[in-house]
Amino acid sequence: MITLDTTALSLLFVPGSQVSKPGSAKPIKYAFERLECLVDRIAQSDETMLLPTPVLSEVLVKVPPEKIQEILVELNGSKW
């Protein structure tokens, strides 16, 4: 079972999200693409992915209100 944190979920669903190494303001190159690749590998291996409720709520407060339902439908429709 793989658990995603707020940073990972934000990269997937919050437009313009970036992540940097601790103690640095420089964004990690290709962070979104790397995370997408990880999610694809997890999905292909039929591994279970866990999204804790606090993580989901932290991400949903950062997206535009009109995108919330779209994200929830995508997550609920996912096999993982």
Side-chain angles (χ1 to χ4, degrees):
M1 181 181 313
I2 306 294
T3 303
L4 294 182
D5 65 359
T6 304
T7 302
L9 201 60
S10 293
L11 281 172
L12 292 173
F13 291 109
V14 179
S17 291
Q18 294 182 343
V19 63
S20 58
K21 293 181 182 178
S24 171
K26 185 177 176 183
I28 295 174
K29 286 186 177 183
Y30 308 110
F32 172 76
E33 292 81 358
R34 293 161 76 179
L35 184 60
E36 256 190 342
C37 182
L38 173 65
V39 169
D40 287 343
R41 281 193 291 157
I42 293 168
Q44 289 173 1
S45 68
D46 287 332
E47 185 75 39
T48 302
M49 207 178 299
L50 177 67
L51 299 176
T53 304
V55 168
L56 182 59
S57 64
E58 288 172 358
V59 170
L60 292 180
V61 299
K62 293 292 186 182
V63 298
E66 60 275 4
K67 297 236 355 148
I68 291 174
Q69 188 62 34
E70 178 184 326
I71 291 170
L72 292 175
V73 166
E74 184 174 344
L75 291 174
N76 285 329
S78 172
K79 71 176 194 170
W80 43 263

